[in-house]
Amino acid sequence: MSTDATNRAVTDAPHTAADGARHPRALAPGNLILTVVLSVFGAVVGVQLLATLGVTPSTSLIGALAAMTLARVPLVAFRGFRSVHAQNLAQTSISSATFGAANSLFLPIGIPFLFGMDDMIVPMLVGVSVAMLVDAWLLYRMYDTPAFPAKNPWPLGLAAAEAIRAGDEGGRRAKVLGLGLVTGLVGAVFSLPMSAFGVALIGGFGAMAAFGVGLLFTQYADPLFGLDLNAMYLPHGMMIGAGLVALVQVGRTILGARRTNAARARSAGAPDGAEENAEDGARRLGRSMRLGLGAYLAISVLLAFGTGAATHMSPGMLIGFLVYATVAAFLHELLVGIASMHSGWFPAFAIALITLLLGILIGFPPEALVVLSGFTAATGPAFADMGYDLKTGYLLRGENADPAFELEGRRQQLIAAMIGFGVAIAVVLVSYRMFFDNGQTAPIDAAYVAAIKAGPSVETAKHLALWAVPGAVVQLVGGSKRQLGILLATGLLITTPMAGWMVAAGIAARVLAPRLLGRDVKGDLEVFAGGAIAGDALYSFGNGVFKAAR
């Protein structure tokens, strides 16, 4: 059973094409069999846990551990799994299948089921399946562009990379990672969100400060000040304001990067080819955004007519709905991606609710709102997860040390992810009726349905407009690099107990550690943070499976 990997010693790191190696192929028989098996497992677990507990665990490390375990089997057939890149393909496929099946597919189709529109379920599944695939493909194209730089934290991706590298290299890195892993596991046992602590060790300082402030204010607004933030729609309004400014900032980033790079290339007397390479990131981002908007418009048309929602709207309202659904889905994707890139948390449920609330205020009929909520909820999770996986691969491949090898690795990761998504579609297609017959859907679906049935509210509109202003101001002041408005709103939308204090502890540790242990401790902090995040993820996964099985 070939994995199409090299037989070099596993201590050679990073492995690049410069070493004469070829990146393992996702479609090589050994890799393909493992990715399909892991994807089935990840998709089943993801749907089961979302339906029973309302959460989707990160299974990325499970895939990497499976490949590492096979690599230690003393058989020639499993030798290829010693490659960290083969392990990267394994973790890419299982995480794609898990988040894809649960968040991008099972969650959206539960909305028409709860609304009593069973005839919409299959058309909705078709539409959100396409949206999920486009979602991941767009991140693949946008990765390492001015809007989504590879150098940014992408915390869960860093955690997976550190775990794989520690298993490959051993030594001090493995010891530091093990210490972080134990710390994460112990903290998680005591219900402490250790991933928040780990993220604060590696995220941008300003972004983490804003994230922590939002988390702490959410936790204490009601007990200390008697403020019900959700009733005030404060987090939702701030995310709207910050999101609109972020969209403008992305546009300015594209234009600014093009002008700056073109000017530098011309001043250096570079030929046309070099100038084109200098502008590649900005060009790729701009082209991807145009393609994304076009693809989401096509999916909006498919959903509107496939579900029959179009028949409940006048031609003018239908056009307005298609435009709004397209922009809402695309903006939802970008906001989830930005939040996950910096914080490791993506409030996809909450941001989808925001786009739904705005749709309700516009006055779209219930059928259209059901489609809107499912469509927007489907975009974002695959986008964020693909970013994490590409960050893992980016670190394992030497952080673009060999550009050709890096691009080939990303292509293979995309293929592995698409295998995972394909398996996710099949698993949801054959299992959703079993869950629905038992009255099981994603818990957040009930909130979407309740909002649609409640209808428009003038007070809601006022609150959203009021709090959009400070959200926009904070995002504007922070700029496109720090994303303070998005991270503050993300913190306000997340209600995990103690998360704010763990972020504060992480910020304090990253400030004090260099002073007490020396400046060289920064590298160890990143490895330790990866271990803490991994420990928290492994405990959450195991605990969730245990509870679901009882």
Side-chain angles (χ1 to χ4, degrees):
M1 182 171 58
S2 171
T3 60
D4 201 23
T6 71
N7 294 332
R8 293 171 305 157
V10 296
T11 53
D12 295 342
H15 310 299
T16 69
D19 303 318
R22 186 186 185 196
H23 194 284
R25 286 348 218 190
L27 296 178
N31 289 330
L32 181 60
I33 292 172
L34 180 62
T35 54
V36 170
V37 171
L38 288 174
S39 295
V40 171
F41 174 78
V44 171
V45 168
V47 173
Q48 175 68 22
L49 292 185
L50 183 63
T52 55
L53 302 177
V55 298
T56 307
S58 174
T59 55
S60 181
L61 288 171
I62 305 300
L65 290 172
M68 290 181 198
T69 302
L70 289 176
R72 281 153 179 76
V73 176
L75 294 174
V76 175
F78 298 112
R79 187 179 300 167
F81 293 118
R82 296 177 186 177
S83 166
V84 295
H85 308 303
Q87 295 166 18
N88 179 215
L89 295 178
Q91 60 88 202
T92 297
S93 62
I94 189 173
S95 64
S96 299
T98 303
F99 284 106
N103 294 50
S104 297
L105 302 177
F106 184 72
L107 185 155
I109 64 174
I111 301 171
F113 169 74
L114 289 181
F115 217 91
M117 300 176 177
D118 283 17
D119 57 326
M120 278 192 177
I121 294 176
V122 173
M124 177 77 85
L125 179 58
V126 173
V128 297
S129 295
V130 178
M132 173 184 68
L133 298 176
V134 171
D135 200 29
W137 177 74
L138 285 175
L139 190 281
Y140 166 76
R141 288 185 55 90
M142 292 186 188
Y143 188 74
D144 203 17
T145 63
F148 297 99
K151 66 180 180 180
N152 277 358
W154 299 100
L156 297 184
L158 184 145
E162 292 297 347
I164 293 173
R165 286 200 294 203
D168 183 47
E169 299 173 16
R172 176 179 174 81
R173 180 184 292 272
K175 293 178 181 178
V176 175
L177 183 86
L179 179 61
L181 191 69
V182 171
T183 303
L185 283 168
V186 172
V189 168
F190 290 96
S191 301
L192 295 176
M194 296 305 295
S195 59
F197 175 73
V199 165
L201 291 175
I202 57 178
F205 192 87
M208 288 300 97
F211 185 50
V213 168
L215 289 167
L216 288 170
F217 190 65
T218 295
Q219 185 172 351
Y220 293 105
D222 190 16
L224 293 183
F225 307 109
L227 298 176
D228 187 343
L229 300 186
N230 286 325
M232 298 166 60
Y233 291 97
L234 185 151
H236 311 79
M238 291 197 70
M239 181 61 85
I240 290 172
L244 292 174
V245 172
L247 187 61
V248 174
Q249 288 172 335
V250 169
R252 287 173 59 89
T253 297
I254 295 171
L255 294 176
R258 284 185 179 180
R259 291 169 181 168
T260 301
N261 290 332
R264 286 176 180 172
R266 284 194 296 269
S267 64
D272 292 343
E275 182 175 321
E276 182 175 349
N277 290 334
E279 298 178 20
D280 178 64
R283 285 184 182 276
R284 186 154 41 93
L285 178 61
R287 192 179 304 117
S288 298
M289 293 186 71
R290 291 192 296 273
L291 288 171
L293 286 169
Y296 284 143
L297 177 60
I299 296 170
S300 298
V301 173
L302 173 67
L303 283 168
F305 286 93
T307 60
T311 62
H312 297 272
M313 292 179 278
S314 65
M317 179 169 282
L318 176 59
I319 292 172
F321 171 77
L322 295 176
V323 172
Y324 176 74
T326 300
V327 174
F330 192 70
L331 185 58
H332 178 266
E333 174 186 81
L334 293 180
L335 294 180
V336 170
I338 290 170
S340 62
M341 175 173 65
H342 287 282
S343 72
W345 301 53
F346 51 93
F349 298 166
I351 298 177
L353 180 60
I354 292 170
T355 61
L356 174 61
L357 290 173
L358 292 176
I360 293 171
L361 293 174
I362 292 172
F364 295 126
E367 295 80 4
L369 294 172
V370 168
V371 170
L372 174 67
S373 55
F375 180 32
T376 54
T379 62
F383 189 86
D385 182 66
M386 193 72 195
Y388 295 143
D389 294 335
L390 290 181
K391 175 69 172 186
T392 300
Y394 176 79
L395 293 172
L396 295 176
R397 290 186 289 268
E399 302 181 49
N400 206 32
D402 184 331
F405 190 72
E406 170 64 24
L407 292 177
E408 178 59 23
R410 290 186 202 173
R411 280 193 288 269
Q412 296 305 318
Q413 281 192 262
L414 178 65
I415 294 171
M418 291 301 170
I419 293 171
F421 291 134
V423 170
I425 294 170
V427 167
V428 173
L429 180 62
V430 301
S431 67
Y432 79 87
R433 182 51 64 184
M434 175 186 69
F435 286 99
F436 290 175
D437 288 344
N438 291 329
Q440 292 179 305
T441 62
I444 190 64
D445 287 346
Y448 296 146
V449 171
I452 295 171
K453 290 182 176 179
S457 166
V458 176
E459 286 300 311
T460 300
K462 289 181 179 178
H463 287 308
L464 292 174
L466 173 65
W467 295 112
V469 175
V473 170
V474 174
Q475 179 68 15
L476 192 62
V477 171
S480 59
K481 291 185 177 180
R482 288 181 288 179
Q483 300 288 345
L484 299 187
I486 298 295
L487 270 295
L488 176 61
T490 299
L492 290 169
L493 287 166
I494 293 172
T495 57
T496 304
M498 293 298 295
W501 287 112
M502 298 310 296
V503 169
I507 292 175
R510 68 187 289 179
V511 171
L512 295 175
R515 298 179 181 180
L516 299 176
L517 304 175
R519 297 192 177 186
D520 294 338
V521 78
K522 181 180 178 182
D524 286 342
L525 276 180
E526 290 185 354
V527 178
F528 180 85
I533 295 170
D536 188 41
L538 287 173
Y539 178 81
S540 299
F541 173 80
N543 190 47
V545 171
F546 176 74
K547 287 183 178 179
R550 284 195 303 179

